């Protein structure tokens, strides 16, 4: 037991990272049942889908689980930027025989809102985590009013202090090795983003709530190392991507287990926010941080038909192949088996 397991109500201070688009309750249930914290990513779920997934989760485990939301501020649509973005993509639409004018602009991911809170209230999950800061105070107060523990990601010491001041019960220190979206919310300056082992001890020193290490942790040795640097627990994402219960596509699984996974970069081409993924054709040709891409999450709409077209042909050239820098833990095993392997890292004498 440590401060984090007390807070989360779990046997082990291990969190399976919520990963929107590649997993649902089917992955979270066995993780929670193995004594860690399974997570349900909700950034792309309608209220109906959220209700369905929560029902599966609640009926699959009696143990604590985590429900995760994005809490970005939706941008004002910018017609000029959208047009410039489409101009960059036009040649790809021609190549694929698709009509770019028939693609409606659209959001793609909605932030935590009242409708989601209404569904969530019926389930009162033990833990709710957020990415991109915290929701407005009235929504945060609602989540806390039914007793949920609140977590959020910090990518800098400044963000960690901010999260503690505004009510996070524990903080996920997300190093730049991490797969998927950077949780950054106070700055969009990528020079502020540092590796897990640079960030973690600085955040541990700066806040008094438990700190959870995330980014690049793929096995029990990595878990032990993070604990030795002062983490109260760890959050692991990429290593779960090839688990049998994940919904990761065959194309994405193959890339994760190939040489391609040694080449990752931060890109905002797929959504409008920087996220780490395996380098593919569109990232190479447009530049992974091309300033023309619309603000999050508006870049998603015009990229989606290209992704669907090429995936149907077996290619991930236009897909977000999210991956951290350490994909060495990706194996086709059950989530329970991976969880059991990872928690061996807490047996290290350096672990607290
Ligand atoms: C495919 C994928 C999707 C992700 N989606 C989310 C998400 O929906 N919400 C979230 O808070 N974090 C998300 N993350 C980030 C993780 O919470 C975590 O920071 C990261 O996986 C840790 O680094 P690792 O991938 O090296 O283990 C995602 C990560 C990956 C790999």
């Amino acid at each position: 037991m440590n401060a984090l397991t007390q807070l989360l109500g779990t046997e082990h201070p291990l969190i399976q990272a919520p990963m929107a688009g590649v997993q649902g309750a089917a992955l979270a249930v066995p993780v929670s049942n193995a004594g860690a914290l399974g997570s349900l990513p909700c950034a792309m779920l309608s209220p109906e889908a959220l209700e369905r997934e929560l029902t599966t989760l609640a009926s699959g485990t009696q143990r604590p689980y985590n429900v995760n939301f994005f809490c970005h501020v939706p941008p004002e649509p910018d017609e000029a930027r959208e047009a410039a973005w489409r101009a960059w993509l036009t040649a790809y639409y021609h190549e694929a025989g698709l009509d770019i004018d028939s693609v409606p602009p659209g959001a793609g991911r909605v932030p935590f809102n009242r409708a989601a809170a209404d569904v969530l209230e019926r389930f009162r999950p033990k833990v709710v985590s957020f990415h991109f800061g915290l929701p407005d105070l009235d929504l945060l107060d609602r989540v806390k009013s039914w007793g949920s523990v609140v977590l959020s990601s910090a990518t800098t010491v400044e963000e960690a202090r901010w999260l503690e001041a505004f009510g996070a019960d524990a903080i996920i220190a997300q190093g730049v090795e991490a797969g998927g979206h950077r949780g950054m919310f106070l700055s969009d300056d990528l020079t502020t983003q540092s590796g897990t082992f640079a960030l973690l001890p600085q955040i541990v020193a700066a806040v008094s709530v438990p700190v959870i290490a995330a980014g690049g942790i793929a096995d029990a040795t990595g878990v032990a190392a993070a604990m030795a640097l002062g983490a109260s627990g760890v959050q692991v994402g990429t290593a779960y991507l090839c688990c049998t219960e994940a919904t990761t596509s065959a194309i994405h699984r193959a890339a994760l287990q190939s040489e391609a996974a040694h080449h990752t970069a931060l890109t905002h081409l797929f959504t409008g926010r920087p996220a780490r993924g395996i380098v593919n054709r569109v990232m190479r040709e447009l530049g992974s941080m091309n300033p023309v891409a619309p603000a999050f999450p508006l870049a998603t709409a015009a990229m989606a038909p290209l992704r669907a077209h090429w995936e149907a042909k077996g290619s991930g050239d236009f897909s977000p192949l999210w991956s951290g820098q350490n994909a060495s833990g990706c194996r086709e095993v059950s989530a329970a088996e991976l969880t059991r392997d990872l928690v061996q890292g807490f047996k290290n004498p350096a672990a607290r």
Side-chain angles (χ1 to χ4, degrees):
M1 290 285 277
N2 70 9
L4 188 68
T5 52
Q6 268 166 30
L7 195 62
L8 306 178
T10 56
E11 195 181 328
H12 308 291
L14 169 67
I15 304 175
Q16 163 253 314
M19 297 186 286
V22 294
Q23 56 113 172
L27 182 76
V29 165
V31 173
S32 286
N33 284 337
L37 191 72
S39 298
L40 178 69
C42 304
M44 302 198 298
L45 299 183
S46 65
E48 297 73 32
L50 175 60
E51 169 117 40
R52 248 191 339 266
E53 286 291 304
L54 284 170
T55 303
T56 307
L57 199 42
S59 60
T61 185
Q62 302 301 309
R63 295 185 166 192
Y65 54 81
N66 168 38
V67 186
N68 170 264
F69 296 91
F70 286 178
C71 50
H72 56 283
V73 179
E76 290 299 323
D78 179 338
E79 275 179 35
R81 199 162 162 193
E82 181 70 29
W85 175 232
R86 285 173 181 240
W88 275 81
L89 297 180
T90 299
Y92 294 127
Y93 271 75
H94 285 156
E95 179 187 344
L98 298 169
D99 175 15
I100 199 161
D101 296 326
S102 67
V103 179
R109 286 159 179 84
V110 285
F112 186 58
N113 55 26
R114 223 180 293 158
D118 289 346
V119 178
L120 208 54
E121 185 162 18
R122 295 202 284 283
F123 293 87
R124 301 177 175 232
K126 176 75 183 172
V127 183
V128 177
S129 73
F130 295 102
H131 217 40
F132 313 134
L134 290 169
D136 287 347
L137 208 54
D138 56 334
L139 279 172
L140 186 63
D141 283 348
R142 252 188 98 181
V143 169
K144 290 197 156 204
S145 74
W146 62 68
S148 293
V149 168
V150 170
L151 315 179
S152 185
S153 300
T155 67
T156 60
V157 170
E158 195 188 1
E159 286 176 352
R161 288 207 178 99
W162 188 99
L163 290 174
E164 182 179 40
F166 284 94
D169 297 305
I171 290 166
I172 302 153
Q174 191 198 32
V176 78
E177 302 93 322
H181 285 97
R182 307 292 308 136
M184 56 203 299
F185 60 94
L186 289 183
S187 161
D188 56 11
D189 178 357
L190 287 176
T191 65
T192 62
Q193 302 295 286
S194 54
T196 303
F197 279 16
L199 180 67
L200 173 64
Q202 295 188 69
I203 291 186
V204 170
V207 299
S208 51
V209 294
V211 179
I212 299 150
I217 301 167
D219 55 25
T221 311
V223 169
M227 298 302 280
L229 270 186
S232 295
V234 298
Q235 175 161 300
V236 174
T238 298
Y240 279 96
L241 282 173
C242 291
C243 284
T244 44
E245 300 92 338
T247 57
T248 312
S249 71
I251 291 168
H252 195 172
R253 282 172 191 264
L256 286 161
Q257 295 177 93
S258 74
E259 201 274 332
H262 300 157
H263 307 268
T264 67
L266 293 178
T267 180
H268 66 176
L269 294 181
F270 299 104
T271 64
R273 263 186 192 260
R276 184 171 296 283
I278 296 172
V279 175
N280 60 5
R281 178 182 164 195
V282 72
M283 288 162 69
R284 269 192 303 272
E285 291 182 357
L286 294 188
S288 53
M289 291 299 296
N290 188 319
V292 176
F296 182 88
L298 301 175
T300 315
M303 192 65 89
L306 293 171
R307 173 187 180 173
H309 173 84
W310 286 105
E311 285 191 358
K313 294 183 179 307
S315 162
D317 279 350
F318 290 80
S319 305
L321 301 170
W322 301 144
S323 171
Q325 287 180 334
N326 187 355
S328 65
C330 291
R331 291 177 292 138
E332 305 268 348
V333 295
S334 71
E337 183 178 335
L338 176 58
T339 303
R340 281 195 298 271
D341 288 349
L342 290 168
V343 301
Q344 295 303 313
F346 299 119
K347 297 198 174 136
N348 185 297
R352 32 162 124 165

